[in-house]
Amino acid sequence: MVVTLSLSVGCSSRTARARIDELDRLAAQREEYMQQVVETTQQRIERRRLEVQPTTIAETPREPETPAPGEGNPPEPARIPEQYPPPDEGSPPQPAVIPEPGPAVIPEPGPAVIPEPGPQGRDVRRPAEP
């Protein structure tokens, strides 16, 4: 936009400044109006694009079909757990400790232990019953 400012020779500087301020205000109003026109036009274009855009439908996932009896994957064999620890790790097995043959150890008889009665005739080896 080109604005021609013609000032007469007898025009005062105050009048010229007032005219320039008026032109600045008109330019700002015009700029605001043009910004509104651009925004409105962009909104209209976006709405028109949506109107002509083909409709898309999201596909729903299909459920897996169950195979007929006998036609599915065969069952897996039973899993046998490994020995713990594996044979190549840890300490090797030791032979069982077997006592050497010899005479049987029989404890010698000693004096018989006779419990003494405690208070109220109770055996001191057993706790009192409630």
Side-chain angles (χ1 to χ4, degrees), residues 3-122:
V3 177
T4 306
L5 182 62
S6 62
L7 298 174
S8 62
V9 175
C11 192
S12 73
S13 65
R14 191 177 294 171
T15 307
R17 285 186 188 160
R19 182 70 180 141
I20 290 174
D21 289 342
E22 176 67 19
L23 291 174
D24 285 343
R25 186 182 62 74
L26 289 173
Q29 284 179 346
R30 180 62 54 143
E31 185 66 32
E32 183 180 329
Y33 172 74
M34 293 305 294
Q35 187 62 33
Q36 289 175 356
V37 168
V38 168
E39 288 175 10
T40 305
T41 305
Q42 286 177 344
Q43 290 173 356
R44 290 174 59 194
I45 289 172
E46 185 62 30
R47 272 188 264 133
R48 296 299 181 238
R49 267 193 201 134
L50 290 174
E51 288 177 4
V52 297
Q53 182 179 356
T55 304
T56 56
I57 299 174
E59 293 184 27
T60 56
R62 294 183 182 179
E63 292 184 24
E65 297 179 16
T66 55
E71 292 184 7
N73 294 334
E76 293 183 17
R79 295 184 183 192
I80 300 172
E82 293 185 20
Q83 298 177 1
Y84 185 78
D88 60 339
E89 295 178 10
S91 58
Q94 302 293 325
V97 178
I98 301 173
E100 294 189 21
V105 179
I106 302 174
E108 294 184 22
V113 178
I114 300 173
E116 294 184 22
Q120 301 172 0
R122 293 190 188 143

